[in-house]
Amino acid sequence: MSGRVEARPPRTTAEIVRAERATRLPRRWSARGRSIAAPLVALLLTSCAPATRVEPSAPPAAAPSTAPAEASGGRLQWRGGPTAILERDGLRLLTDPVLGPRGPAAFVLPRHPSTGVENAPVARYTDPPAEPIGRLDLILLSHNHADHFDAVARQVLPKDIVFVLPPDAVEAARAAGFTRLTPLDWDGETVIPTRSGRLRILAVPANHTHDAALDATLGKGNGYVLRWEGAAPYSVYWTGDSVFTDRMRAVAARFAPIDLWLPHLGAVGVDGARGLRTMDAEEAVAAAALLRARHVIPIHHTTFGHYREPVTAFVQRAAAQRLPARIDVPTDGAWVPLPR
């Protein structure tokens, strides 16, 4: 095998299915339980020290790294679904905040991508990590859908934080009280100072589906290319909810090789009448090869009920195709160092 593929920790399809079943809540989810969920999440966000979560039925979580982010050039924590914290050169970024607790109706989709059912509740199988989010410098939003910017996030996140988002999401963010909005359309960019240089953020196309009419209905979302400039340059491409398109190929042609690739997986909609809404393993491996990604951390898988393909499908296909990239699959809450 010419490349190195590492999955941390490797989980088989059967293990993921068992974990999802073990963490599903009973069918009865009381109104009282729902009413206390948001205040509890707010408490977690403001707590000075992380609480210990005891969940015998949940998959064991890797212990957070205690090493400083700068020791390895940066680090990333996956917090389930599309939500991650990325630390590098003194900046702390949060992607697509979905902060609500485990339950059978974490959010409601206008139409389920697999079944077509209208106003469909979607389950969350595991709670967000108990470790508080802590200080933030920036929120990055790919698009304004309930499974990427939920009610709890709108309520508890600091309203004066820099918020980079698509123009279509500005009204919703402003209505939630956020005040430092930086809307970026495709090919728009903004620059933020860092400890030793600057971070250049470029919005790139994220097509939610291959069906052009449905893509227009779902709204215009962003992916982002993040480039740390200075003494230790570093590049990250976060796809947002995008399938593999000619526009993504153009991103690869412009920016490859990418130091870190954060693809949205899960093959959402693969079993529905109108096809994929996020990449499946086949598309993701093809995209990673074109991007010449050095490091891949797949997100947007496992956590929610509308995800249809286990992350192991990507890991296995990458190995079969001898993808020359380091692949880390952290459990939610685990920190992953970002080596060059």
Side-chain angles (χ1 to χ4, degrees):
M1 183 171 176
S2 61
R4 180 169 63 123
V5 177
E6 300 176 1
R8 301 180 182 180
R11 291 181 287 178
T12 66
T13 301
E15 287 172 334
I16 289 174
V17 170
R18 286 198 297 272
E20 290 178 352
R21 288 175 177 170
T23 53
R24 294 185 188 187
L25 290 183
R27 292 182 180 179
R28 294 184 182 273
W29 180 244
S30 69
R32 180 175 181 272
R34 290 192 298 269
S35 69
I36 65 173
L40 286 175
V41 174
L43 180 61
L44 288 176
L45 286 168
T46 56
S47 172
C48 293
T52 300
R53 178 177 59 179
V54 179
E55 272 189 330
S57 62
S65 169
T66 57
E70 305 309 323
S72 62
R75 63 177 185 168
L76 181 141
Q77 182 193 48
W78 180 52
R79 298 185 68 91
T83 308
I85 294 174
L86 178 62
E87 294 181 354
R88 187 172 182 83
D89 199 18
L91 283 183
R92 189 175 169 92
L93 292 71
L94 177 70
T95 69
D96 277 1
V98 185
L99 308 180
R102 176 170 63 113
F107 47 80
V108 175
L109 295 180
R111 186 180 296 274
H112 198 283
S114 295
T115 65
V117 171
E118 294 184 354
N119 298 317
V122 177
R124 179 166 186 151
Y125 298 136
T126 58
D127 280 315
E131 181 181 347
I133 286 178
R135 177 188 65 83
L136 292 173
D137 299 297
L138 177 71
I139 299 172
L140 281 176
L141 188 70
S142 64
H143 61 305
N144 182 38
H145 286 177
D147 54 336
H148 292 260
F149 187 26
D150 71 356
V152 175
R154 294 169 199 242
Q155 177 183 354
V156 304
L157 287 174
K159 300 302 185 288
D160 59 349
I161 190 171
V162 176
F163 199 148
V164 177
L165 70 176
D168 286 354
V170 166
E171 183 178 348
R174 185 174 290 126
F178 293 91
T179 59
R180 299 180 65 188
L181 305 180
T182 303
L184 292 182
D185 207 343
W186 292 351
D187 292 326
E189 69 174 32
T190 187
V191 177
I192 297 175
T194 66
R195 180 178 297 160
S196 62
R198 61 184 184 175
L199 170 63
R200 188 179 298 275
I201 302 173
L202 176 73
V204 296
N207 292 106
H208 216 320
T209 172
H210 294 289
D211 184 320
L214 178 59
D215 193 50
T217 299
L218 292 173
K220 193 174 183 179
N222 287 347
Y224 295 95
V225 175
L226 313 176
R227 287 170 290 167
W228 275 262
E229 300 175 343
Y234 194 78
S235 60
V236 177
Y237 175 25
W238 171 43
T239 66
D241 269 7
S242 181
V243 291
F244 185 37
T245 64
D246 286 341
R247 289 190 171 106
M248 191 179 288
R249 292 181 180 92
V251 172
R254 182 176 175 184
F255 294 106
I258 287 287
D259 291 311
L260 172 64
W261 190 44
L262 301 176
H264 282 200
L265 300 186
V268 174
V270 68
D271 52 351
R274 304 185 78 170
L276 288 171
R277 308 283 180 90
T278 58
M279 285 180 286
D280 62 5
E282 180 179 359
E283 288 197 347
V285 170
L290 277 184
L291 287 160
R292 288 182 283 143
R294 298 186 175 105
H295 189 188
V296 180
I297 302 178
I299 60 176
H300 200 274
H301 58 79
T302 308
T303 310
F304 294 108
H306 62 321
Y307 300 161
R308 285 300 191 255
E309 184 180 75
V311 68
T312 49
F314 170 74
V315 174
Q316 292 164 2
R317 188 172 187 89
Q321 297 293 320
R322 299 187 176 184
L323 188 70
R326 166 178 171 167
I327 298 175
D328 282 303
V329 183
T331 55
D332 52 333
W335 287 97
V336 178
L338 303 179
R340 284 301 308 271

